Amino acid sequence: MTARERIAGNVAGYVDDRTGAAKWMKKNLTKVFPDHWSFLLGEICLYSFVILLLSGTFLTFWYDPSMREVVYEGSYEPLQGLEMSAAYASTLDISFEVRGGLLMRQIHHWAALIFMVGIVVHLMRVYFTGAFRKPRETNWVIGVGLLTLGIVEGFLGYSLPDDLLSGTGIRIAEAIIQALPVVGSYLAFFTFGGAFPGVAFIPRIYTVHILLLPGIFLALITVHLMLVWYQKHTQFPGPGRTEKNVVGYPLMPVYMAKAGGFFFIVFGVTAFLGAVASINPIWLYGPYTPGQVSAGSQPDWYMGWLDGLVRMAPPIETVTFGYTISWNILIPGLILPGIMFTALALYPFIESWATGDKREHHLLDRPRNAPTRTAIGAMALTFTLVCLLNGGNDIIATTFDLTINQMMWFSRIGVIVLPPLAYVITKRLCLSLQRADRDLVLHGRETGRLVRMPNGEFTEIHEPISAEKAWLLTSHEQLAPLELPDLDGGGVRRPGAIKNKIRNRISRSMATAVPKATQSERKELEGHH
Amino acid sequence: MSNEIELIKDPGLPAHVHRRADTDPKAAARAERQVATLFILSALGTVVLVYSYLFVDEDIFFFIPVLGNTNAHQLGLGMGMAIALFCIGAGLIHWAKTLMPDEEVIAQRHEFKSEDEDREDFVKTVKAGAAAAGLGRRPLIKRTLGAALGLSAISPVLLLGDLGPLPGNQLKTTSWKKGTRLVTDPGDRPLRPQDLEVGAVAQTLPEIAPGEHRSLNDIGKDAVLLIRLRPEEFNLDAERLSWTYEGIIAFSKICSHMGCAVALYEQQTKHLLCPCHQSTFDVTRAAKVIFGPSARPLPQLPITIDAEGYLVAQAPFNEPVGPSFWERST
Ligand code: HEM
Ligand code: FES
């Protein structure tokens, strides 16, 4: 036994004597993790969160969360002598006086963007592969929570520098609060400690940004990861992979090395972006004052779709009995986003209700094999994308020489027409991909080689595909639609008849499929040759 | 032949294919050198970072295509850090891929559902526990506990009441009074009608006593845009027209949609445009909304001149400024 082995043995012994952890550790150090590039998306979120914690803590050492007015005397000449909040002045100091401060600010902001992109793409991966199905609904709901809080956290962080651009964003947030029926003006005054902008807002959101929300993030991420660990990762279908097993690499050493390495890669890439790609150059915007605005005001992209929704809202406001309701703010600012996020969070339960499928699933779906789900996803993405585009309508209009008017009507119509169109197209696309899979299994791959038949006709030689490939293309199960009765045994309509009818219809739509190829069919075809 | 449909069978996990480094010691040695090289590169990155921190002045800028004018100090720190971190990651992953075992292993899953017996036992335990506490048998305790818990929730809500004052009529009022002079922002100079040419716009605020300080709260309600047209260009009713002075008309600069500053004026069309959501207001028609999400015109400030010929307010705004709120009734 080498000295090193002896030390390792002693440490393990010390820990086990006090916790009895050896058995658990032995089991879990060899835990198997399936490998697929799309499983890295969640890791990107985790690592960029760690980067946010590190870079954010660095920023707290110099950032001064105060709206006290100071006169700027730092080294950035264009702003010297100007009155501004201490928050803005300290952000300028981080950018110009603190060594590496600008780098850290830019790393923090890039990490925030990567964090949000990571969450959205990770969510899409989980959605389109059906990884949210039983038993993983809890993790889906936690994920939607993280997405929502991430949007809030990002918005608050973006507001901290108190520059003209972000102040404008706060003004808009205040208007949304103020628009709430009955309690709006009270809530706005409680949030801002009085009239807008007041002097309380920045210190308050600072506490939320660096303490409250990061704490909640940590708690949610911990539960999320513990569930992944305990329930074991899903895997893509393939030869040798079943609902009852996990095929992959053991935690120690391969997965540890890869995951650890990937953390450094993400951090390295973020540092590279922070070094070369300028982001949020707040010194160009100037300090916030409510009487001014910078042209082309844009939020970060994860807020952009909301901004686009607000921009396309029709100008409707009602006054009843002397009380005002601003539908032009409430609908795009609260009601629609509320419906969208609730539907997103409830999707796993809706789908399992519609299909009647209450079993555990550990093998992922190929998106084409769940055409309705995939089409709903495409529909939601299209909706969000049109909103996002409209959030940049002024910039797009000037770039492509359109009028704002044209852009606005494109979005107002597009947001209603394009999502259903995306649904129909995606569903058809999925079904034709299924048909292509079926043909491939039955007739093999086209080789491009032509032969001349005795009767003079040319046909292309088809080569049978491998057993592995054939299995991959046919291993999914095809659920039969629910056929819930709407009459009971005696022929009387039951109370749930309408509900059953709706459920039957949805489940029939969910079950639309091109029948997958079977071995029997293959044999039959062979018989013909 | 039976009618049973035969499905395609799972061929099972494909046989493992060895990598070169698994069988060829030379390839393994080469992979080892590659990993080590990456770690050495990382160390060099740290050297770049330390060098930039200590020896590169903070005010050296130089031009890089694509990036533009770049600060050498920040770039050195950032690139050093990026190289140091990235190469550690690349080294670890290369190591895992080339030298660590790459044989896939299979682990079994178990269904999460417990045995029926265990489930029943669990329910029994809970029931027994609840019975032992005797909540069901002692309704008095149950009710008083519920009431106490419910009431205790009042305290945090009550204490948070000091987060802000009540709005009162702050949302409905501004600093403008009859006779308040309009002064330029910035500059604080009072304005005479002749200071404004036809077609010009001025940004103004209410005059304050010397030495007094204007808070952002005030600016957020008081900011006013003055625009001068030819009087015949207006398309206003008699009352509104009486609120203008020799073709000069005054509107709140705070957008009636969500409160941004309505900053853009198009001279040819005589439209005011809010850059936030593009609400567009027609100056000739009392800032009527002609495009965008805003549902109300910009509030108008009635103006005239005082004895010394300076522009002043005739009266406060005709309605509350800024975004809508529940209690607003016009
Ligand atoms: C998911 C988590 C987080 C997100 C999405 C996020 C996002 C942001 C964004 C977009 C900014 C604006 C940066 C700029 O351009 O100046 C910011 C600023 C800031 N963040 Fe975070 N952040 C997160 C977590 C944290 C944490 C954990 C801390 C501290 C422990 C922190 C501390 C700060 C500070 C002090 C600032 C202001 C500094 C400045 O403006 O230069 N953040 N954050
Ligand atoms: S704030 Fe002016 S258009 Fe929305």
Side-chain angles (χ1 to χ4, degrees), chain A residues 145-159:
Chain A
L146 285 167
L147 169 69
T148 320
L149 292 180
I151 294 176
V152 177
E153 175 78 346
F155 175 73
L156 296 184
Y158 183 82
S159 302

Side-chain angles (χ1 to χ4, degrees), chain A residues 185 233 291 317 324 520 523, chain B residues 6 107 109 253 324 327-328:
Chain A
S185 10
H233 208 290
E317 193 171 273
T324 303
S520 314
K523 280 189 183 149
Chain B
E6 190 190 339
R109 287 182 198 275
K253 197 187 178 190
S324 292
E327 296 89 348
R328 171 196 161 100

Side-chain angles (χ1 to χ4, degrees), chain A residues 99 103 178 182 185 190 198 204 233 240 244-246 248 261 291 311 315 317 324 326 328 360 393 519-520 523, chain B residues 6 10 12 53 74 85 89 101 105 107 109 112 163-164 216-217 253 276-278 293-294 296 323-324 326-328:
Chain A
R99 272 190 280 187
L103 176 67
Q178 198 174 296
V182 189
S185 10
F190 284 149
R204 285 180 184 176
H233 208 290
K244 298 252 173 278
N245 71 10
V246 202
R311 286 179 187 206
E317 193 171 273
T324 303
S326 310
N328 55 346
E360 283 185 15
N393 61 359
Q519 191 63 14
S520 314
K523 280 189 183 149
Chain B
E6 190 190 339
D10 183 358
Y53 188 87
Q74 299 275 1
L85 294 166
V105 263
R109 287 182 198 275
F112 291 107
L163 274 177
L216 293 186
N217 289 21
K253 197 187 178 190
C276 281
H277 315 104
Q278 288 99 34
S294 181
R296 283 184 291 108
S324 292
W326 174 248
E327 296 89 348
R328 171 196 161 100

Side-chain angles (χ1 to χ4, degrees), chain A residues 171-172 310, chain B residues 254-262 273-281 292-294:
Chain A
R171 171 82 248 206
I172 290 169
V310 170
Chain B
I254 308 302
C255 188
S256 54
H257 179 228
M258 297 174 100
C260 287
V262 181
L273 179 92
C274 176
C276 281
H277 315 104
Q278 288 99 34
S279 289
T280 310
F281 306 89
S294 181

Side-chain angles (χ1 to χ4, degrees), chain A residues 508-525:
Chain A
R508 228 173 293 139
S509 160
M510 292 292 231
T512 347
V514 176
K516 63 182 188 183
T518 62
Q519 191 63 14
S520 314
E521 286 171 294
R522 273 180 134 185
K523 280 189 183 149
E524 203 171 306
L525 276 172

